[in-house]
Amino acid sequence: MRGWLRPHEKGGTRHDVAAHHRAEEAVETYVATGGFEDGRAPQVQTVAP
């Protein structure tokens, strides 16, 4: 089974892109270690200097 990425661009444009298996593994690791399983938290966190 192949994973898909759905990036959102300016103007609300969305593109479905098939994920490379290494990208899929990286995203799964990021979600697991970042605590984003509940789906309510932003998945891209900003860091203030």
Side-chain angles (χ1 to χ4, degrees), residues 19-43:
H20 187 275
H21 69 276
R22 292 180 70 187
E24 188 176 353
E25 292 170 4
V27 170
E28 288 175 0
T29 301
Y30 178 78
V31 170
T33 59
F36 304 116
E37 291 89 1
D38 67 2
R40 291 179 284 178
Q43 293 188 348

Side-chain angles (χ1 to χ4, degrees), residues 7-22:
H8 296 241
E9 297 183 11
K10 289 182 179 178
T13 305
R14 297 181 185 181
H15 297 281
D16 293 338
V17 181
H20 187 275
H21 69 276
R22 292 180 70 187

